[in-house]
Amino acid sequence: MAKLQGFEFWNKTLKAAQFVVAPMVDQSELAWRLLSRRHGAQLCYTPMLHAQVFVRDANYRRENLYNEVCEEDRPLITQFCANDPEVFLEAALLSQDYCDAIDLNLGCPQMIAKRGHYGVFLQDEWELLEKMIRLANEKLSVPITCKIRVFKEIEKTVCYAQMLEKAGCQLLTVHGRTKDQKGAMTGIASWEHIKAVRKAVNIPVFANGNIQHLSDVERCIQETGVQGVMSAEGNLHNPALFEGRNPPVWEMAEEYLEVVKQYPPCTLSYVRAHLFKLWHHTLQIHHDLREELAKVKNIEGLADVSKKLRLRCQEEIAKGKDVEEKESSLPFPHWICQPYVRPVPKEPVANGNSKGSEVKKTVCQKRALEDSDGSADTLSKNKQKKRSRNPNKNFCPDQKPKYIKCEQCGNPKGNKCVFNLCRGCCKKKAFKEVADCPSHGLRFKTKAEKQKADEENRKKDSAAETEKNSSGSPQPPPHPSPELQEQSQAHLPL
């Protein structure tokens, strides 16, 4: 049976899903996906998985996909980051029986993606991407999808999307931000880019960005014409977003912890991170419990802290403090699930002046950027700790050593690598050529020579053993000499 494509795939396999939970590193695990599905989500993605690790590490496969098979958790799309067509295909083949589609991550803008040369940092390598998608589309039994970020130019973004469609992409998720829009510079996602892509391609399109309430979902579909809307941060702060509800935080926290107990194992760090997101606004007030939540060592401890937060919030409600909360910048009291709005990025300063700078300072109380000399007063707490351990440590970006890139993948190369490669590429080359690289601790040649010497020694020992056994076997008695024969005959009786 031929696999479904495009709109047929979206309609039949994905059941025309409109409400989508985004792939989030260490955050869209099974328990969270099930919680989101119970509250309106129609399609979920796995966390982003590293294709190369997925191929080589059986434990990684079992922990991140194989042990999470659940009938309730469908439809499901598995997302990989990759930069090698063969590795991406091999990872996809290992996972295709456990999901409904394979997604290629072309949207991650974080520094780890830059170092690993994947995510949005592949968006200029169209020839490589076309090869990766075409190969996967030809070999897989499930459809291939992509999640991208936009270019500044709408025309270039449209051409990019059309190239991916032509290569074999069956569904496209467009995050309406560029690769530079992250962290403090996140800003507003461009629905104009998403709308242009939707008009230009003949496959389903999901929109991502600016989704904080169900009304945003409806407005996005109306303005852009997309088939579905994906939420990441909005979902993390309010799992009931797609239901159009803003429930008390403890309701979602307690239900999530119940799901975690029902579907173990779940990594403690994942659960802790989810509770930090859910209780974000409350933890800005109850700092002591914030510290406690960060330090507990098990699920039961996290549940206890969540219970304490609930009791404190209920005490405030009983005292009528919800009226006071109306005066804060939050649309709801802090104990209600609601989005976290990032501070507005600062406008560029022209001629040393910036309009409205005083207003922005009150809105966004962030520490100043560190001076080039890295003085202790301007360093972050983390860097101050590092400075206390190493007083000579230098944080000036201009004086940091510039890393030389690996000739094959662009990662930092080993300083004394005999091949001028990073460790991953060096390992492949050293294995292939049976060579050593002391810098990376690789001893393929040494091991091969030792193995050969051991084999020769075994052969010598075996030959010596054979010779010894042959000399020790019983031999026929030698013929007696003539003199002995005469002597023996002299003693014979007559």
Side-chain angles (χ1 to χ4, degrees), residues 315-339:
E315 286 175 9
E316 291 182 31
I317 294 170
K319 292 176 182 177
K321 286 193 175 183
D322 56 327
V323 178
E324 298 173 14
E325 290 295 326
K326 298 284 184 183
E327 299 175 4
S328 72
S329 59
L330 298 175
F332 302 106
H334 62 79
W335 53 78
I336 296 296
C337 288
Q338 56 194 301

Side-chain angles (χ1 to χ4, degrees), residues 402-418:
K402 302 296 182 185
Y403 292 107
I404 301 173
K405 291 184 177 180
C406 167
E407 296 174 358
Q408 293 187 8
C409 71
N411 285 333
K413 81 171 188 69
N415 290 332
K416 297 179 181 179
C417 175
V418 296

Side-chain angles (χ1 to χ4, degrees), residues 288-321:
D288 58 326
L289 291 180
R290 180 184 180 87
E291 293 294 324
E292 192 174 340
L293 187 64
K295 291 178 180 178
V296 291
K297 303 295 184 183
N298 51 49
I299 301 293
E300 292 73 20
L302 294 175
D304 288 342
V305 177
S306 185
K307 184 178 179 181
K308 290 178 184 177
L309 285 164
R310 172 172 62 83
L311 292 173
R312 288 196 186 182
C313 291
Q314 289 174 338
E315 286 175 9
E316 291 182 31
I317 294 170
K319 292 176 182 177
K321 286 193 175 183

Side-chain angles (χ1 to χ4, degrees), residues 363-411:
V363 173
C364 177
Q365 293 290 336
K366 280 184 169 284
R367 65 182 177 82
L369 292 174
E370 294 152 15
D371 296 335
S372 58
D373 61 351
S375 60
D377 293 338
T378 59
L379 292 178
S380 65
K381 288 183 179 179
N382 189 34
K383 289 184 178 179
Q384 286 180 30
K385 288 179 183 177
K386 291 181 180 179
R387 173 67 65 82
S388 67
R389 291 194 294 267
N390 181 7
N392 298 320
K393 191 167 182 65
N394 179 25
F395 296 104
C396 177
D398 297 332
Q399 297 178 17
K400 284 186 178 179
K402 302 296 182 185
Y403 292 107
I404 301 173
K405 291 184 177 180
C406 167
E407 296 174 358
Q408 293 187 8
C409 71
N411 285 333

Side-chain angles (χ1 to χ4, degrees), residues 267-294:
T267 306
L268 185 69
S269 61
Y270 299 0
V271 182
R272 193 196 310 274
H274 280 302
L275 293 179
F276 265 113
K277 291 282 187 187
L278 288 169
W279 286 110
H280 173 83
H281 300 296
T282 301
L283 290 171
Q284 308 308 307
I285 300 169
H286 299 285
H287 298 287
D288 58 326
L289 291 180
R290 180 184 180 87
E291 293 294 324
E292 192 174 340
L293 187 64

